[in-house]
Amino acid sequence: MKNKNAKVGIVMGSNSDLEVMKESANVLDKYGISYTITVTSAHRTPARTTAFAKNAEKSGIEIIIAGAGFSAALPGVIASHTILPVIGVPLASSPLNGVDALYSIVQMPSGIPVACMGVGKSGAANAGHLAAEILGMKYLWIKQRIKKIRLALAKKK
């Protein structure tokens, strides 16, 4: 899904990751934040991945959410080609149920940070919330929506 006004780029290595990564999109929809969804692999399509990362800021993207399983190279590769904030979501697509992806994302070398969420759907949802919080520092309308959603969460029984 392409949106030329997207503030968030949601990226994953395979179409099969969409079931989990749509949780990020669902959260961004609640906040009214525009996004784009891209499938590109650090291993299978490295030139495309590099081009995405290098051009993200020029295209208006302000934050990247990258979901990855197995070796989970995608978030780190993207972070190495941009200074935009990158939020990594470990996916449970390997026999190790995402623990390998978690370690891969969380253990980035100093100077190339990637924020790391929990494994799976809750991690993908939290990536959307964190992206909103980061954008809320710049956009008052997002900050106001965050406050409204938090109040509604507090009232839930």
Side-chain angles (χ1 to χ4, degrees):
M1 171 191 310
K2 296 289 181 192
N3 180 338
K4 68 180 184 176
N5 299 315
K7 295 198 179 315
V8 178
I10 300 172
V11 186
M12 64 209 75
S14 172
N15 283 322
S16 63
D17 301 333
L18 185 57
E19 183 181 337
V20 172
M21 296 307 295
K22 71 181 177 185
E23 296 298 322
S24 294
N26 292 340
V27 168
L28 294 171
D29 284 339
K30 287 180 187 176
Y31 291 112
I33 298 171
S34 58
Y35 56 88
T36 183
I37 295 176
T38 304
V39 176
T40 186
S41 169
H43 299 110
R44 292 182 299 274
T45 57
R48 181 176 167 186
T49 300
T50 300
F52 169 83
K54 286 183 174 181
N55 294 310
E57 189 172 7
K58 282 186 258 179
S59 72
I61 291 172
E62 297 181 43
I63 299 171
I64 298 170
I65 298 172
F70 284 87
S71 69
L74 186 61
V77 168
I78 289 172
S80 73
H81 291 290
T82 184
I83 61 167
L84 294 175
V86 177
I87 304 169
V89 178
L91 303 175
S93 55
S94 76
L96 297 176
N97 292 318
V99 173
D100 49 343
L102 174 71
Y103 286 155
S104 232
I105 294 169
V106 84
Q107 290 295 336
M108 290 299 298
S110 180
I112 311 295
V114 174
C116 186
M117 300 292 100
V119 177
K121 288 185 176 185
S122 65
N126 275 338
H129 289 292
L130 181 57
E133 288 177 355
I134 294 168
L135 289 169
M137 300 296 293
K138 181 177 179 182
Y139 300 103
L140 180 60
W141 65 270
I142 295 174
K143 183 182 281 189
Q144 291 169 336
R145 288 185 182 175
I146 292 168
K147 289 178 180 180
K148 184 178 177 182
I149 288 171
R150 290 278 181 100
L151 282 172
L153 283 173
K155 292 178 182 178
K156 267 188 165 179
K157 293 182 181 185

